[in-house]
PDB file of all heavy atoms in Angstrom:
ATOM      1  N   GLY X 258     325.237  54.017 175.398  1.00 97.00           N
ATOM      2  CA  GLY X 258     324.120  53.307 174.771  1.00 97.00           C
ATOM      3  C   GLY X 258     323.486  54.127 173.662  1.00 97.00           C
ATOM      4  O   GLY X 258     324.158  54.916 172.978  1.00 97.00           O
ATOM      5  N   ASP X 259     322.163  53.966 173.494  1.00 98.00           N
ATOM      6  CA  ASP X 259     321.467  54.655 172.393  1.00 98.00           C
ATOM      7  C   ASP X 259     321.317  56.137 172.700  1.00 98.00           C
ATOM      8  O   ASP X 259     320.763  56.515 173.726  1.00 98.00           O
ATOM      9  CB  ASP X 259     320.086  54.031 172.178  1.00 98.00           C
ATOM     10  CG  ASP X 259     320.195  52.691 171.478  1.00 98.00           C
ATOM     11  OD1 ASP X 259     321.245  52.432 170.843  1.00 98.00           O
ATOM     12  OD2 ASP X 259     319.252  51.894 171.586  1.00 98.00           O
ATOM     13  N   VAL X 260     321.817  56.947 171.759  1.00 98.00           N
ATOM     14  CA  VAL X 260     321.844  58.405 171.938  1.00 98.00           C
ATOM     15  C   VAL X 260     321.013  59.035 170.833  1.00 98.00           C
ATOM     16  O   VAL X 260     320.966  58.518 169.716  1.00 98.00           O
ATOM     17  CB  VAL X 260     323.316  58.898 171.831  1.00 98.00           C
ATOM     18  CG1 VAL X 260     323.392  60.415 171.773  1.00 98.00           C
ATOM     19  CG2 VAL X 260     324.143  58.368 172.994  1.00 98.00           C
ATOM     20  N   ARG X 261     320.330  60.128 171.156  1.00 98.00           N
ATOM     21  CA  ARG X 261     319.649  60.897 170.124  1.00 98.00           C
ATOM     22  C   ARG X 261     320.286  62.280 170.074  1.00 98.00           C
ATOM     23  O   ARG X 261     320.462  62.918 171.132  1.00 98.00           O
ATOM     24  CB  ARG X 261     318.157  61.017 170.445  1.00 98.00           C
ATOM     25  CG  ARG X 261     317.291  61.142 169.224  1.00 98.00           C
ATOM     26  CD  ARG X 261     317.084  59.807 168.523  1.00 98.00           C
ATOM     27  NE  ARG X 261     316.580  60.026 167.178  1.00 98.00           N
ATOM     28  CZ  ARG X 261     316.345  59.065 166.291  1.00 98.00           C
ATOM     29  NH1 ARG X 261     316.570  57.815 166.591  1.00 98.00           N
ATOM     30  NH2 ARG X 261     315.902  59.356 165.088  1.00 98.00           N
ATOM     31  N   LEU X 262     320.636  62.717 168.882  1.00 98.00           N
ATOM     32  CA  LEU X 262     321.186  64.063 168.695  1.00 98.00           C
ATOM     33  C   LEU X 262     320.079  64.914 168.094  1.00 98.00           C
ATOM     34  O   LEU X 262     319.490  64.536 167.070  1.00 98.00           O
ATOM     35  CB  LEU X 262     322.384  64.012 167.742  1.00 98.00           C
ATOM     36  CG  LEU X 262     323.499  63.052 168.150  1.00 98.00           C
ATOM     37  CD1 LEU X 262     324.591  63.003 167.077  1.00 98.00           C
ATOM     38  CD2 LEU X 262     324.095  63.466 169.489  1.00 98.00           C
ATOM     39  N   LEU X 263     319.779  66.031 168.746  1.00 98.00           N
ATOM     40  CA  LEU X 263     318.663  66.871 168.273  1.00 98.00           C
ATOM     41  C   LEU X 263     319.120  68.305 168.091  1.00 98.00           C
ATOM     42  O   LEU X 263     319.914  68.816 168.897  1.00 98.00           O
ATOM     43  CB  LEU X 263     317.502  66.846 169.278  1.00 98.00           C
ATOM     44  CG  LEU X 263     316.923  65.473 169.625  1.00 98.00           C
ATOM     45  CD1 LEU X 263     317.490  64.984 170.936  1.00 98.00           C
ATOM     46  CD2 LEU X 263     315.412  65.519 169.701  1.00 98.00           C
ATOM     47  N   VAL X 264     318.602  68.943 167.039  1.00 98.00           N
ATOM     48  CA  VAL X 264     318.937  70.341 166.751  1.00 98.00           C
ATOM     49  C   VAL X 264     317.672  71.088 166.373  1.00 98.00           C
ATOM     50  O   VAL X 264     316.815  70.555 165.665  1.00 98.00           O
ATOM     51  CB  VAL X 264     319.951  70.438 165.572  1.00 98.00           C
ATOM     52  CG1 VAL X 264     320.233  71.889 165.227  1.00 98.00           C
ATOM     53  CG2 VAL X 264     321.246  69.730 165.893  1.00 98.00           C
ATOM     54  N   ALA X 265     317.546  72.319 166.875  1.00 98.00           N
ATOM     55  CA  ALA X 265     316.484  73.225 166.418  1.00 98.00           C
ATOM     56  C   ALA X 265     317.147  74.547 166.084  1.00 98.00           C
ATOM     57  O   ALA X 265     317.983  75.037 166.843  1.00 98.00           O
ATOM     58  CB  ALA X 265     315.441  73.430 167.523  1.00 98.00           C
ATOM     59  N   ALA X 266     316.791  75.097 164.929  1.00 98.00           N
ATOM     60  CA  ALA X 266     317.382  76.377 164.531  1.00 98.00           C
ATOM     61  C   ALA X 266     316.407  77.129 163.645  1.00 98.00           C
ATOM     62  O   ALA X 266     315.563  76.533 162.970  1.00 98.00           O
ATOM     63  CB  ALA X 266     318.696  76.151 163.780  1.00 98.00           C
TER      64      ALA X 266
END
Side-chain angles (χ1 to χ4, degrees):
D259 285 340
V260 170
R261 209 77 196 177
L262 305 176
L263 303 99
V264 177

